[in-house]
Amino acid sequence: MMRPPAAPGSKTDYNALRAPANYVPGLGRGATGFTTRSDIGPARAGPVGGDGDEGGAAAGGDDDKFDEFMGSDAGMFAGGTYDEDDKEADRVWDSIDNFMDERRRVS
């Protein structure tokens, strides 16, 4: 059933309109193709280490790689080299940090 066009200047109540036959909610904003925890179900406990502990070094943990400053991610980029591109990126981010600090001080 076709509706007559709305008068110029009047507002259309889109909540009262029927969706097209091939409409998929969320598809236009990319809300498809992902899995949530609700789809999978509750998490399960992993295997217990040989001496009855809940993981750790006996279960293959990386406790020896913990760094006070970096935390457990210390070994992620440990093998990389610090070159000129890295120095330039650090300078750019430092200038951004300084700019944002100045903005916070002013306001």
Side-chain angles (χ1 to χ4, degrees):
M1 171 201 248
M2 292 276 296
R3 290 183 166 201
S10 66
K11 298 203 179 226
T12 303
D13 181 17
Y14 289 101
N15 291 325
L17 298 176
R18 286 181 45 132
N22 60 351
Y23 176 71
V24 178
L27 184 64
R29 57 187 168 88
T32 60
F34 59 90
T35 305
T36 65
R37 193 178 313 167
S38 298
D39 298 327
I40 297 171
R44 296 189 181 127
V48 177
D51 59 353
D53 65 347
E54 293 292 323
D62 290 332
D63 290 339
D64 57 336
K65 294 183 181 178
F66 184 80
D67 182 74
E68 194 66 35
F69 178 71
M70 295 289 289
S72 295
D73 294 335
M76 184 181 298
F77 298 110
T81 58
Y82 190 75
D83 57 3
E84 287 300 317
D85 288 340
D86 296 323
K87 290 178 186 177
E88 180 183 2
D90 284 342
R91 284 192 298 269
V92 168
W93 285 111
D94 287 340
S95 67
I96 292 171
D97 287 339
N98 292 335
F99 176 77
M100 295 306 290
D101 288 341
E102 288 296 320
R103 280 185 61 182
R104 280 190 282 276
R105 286 186 207 134
V106 170
S107 39

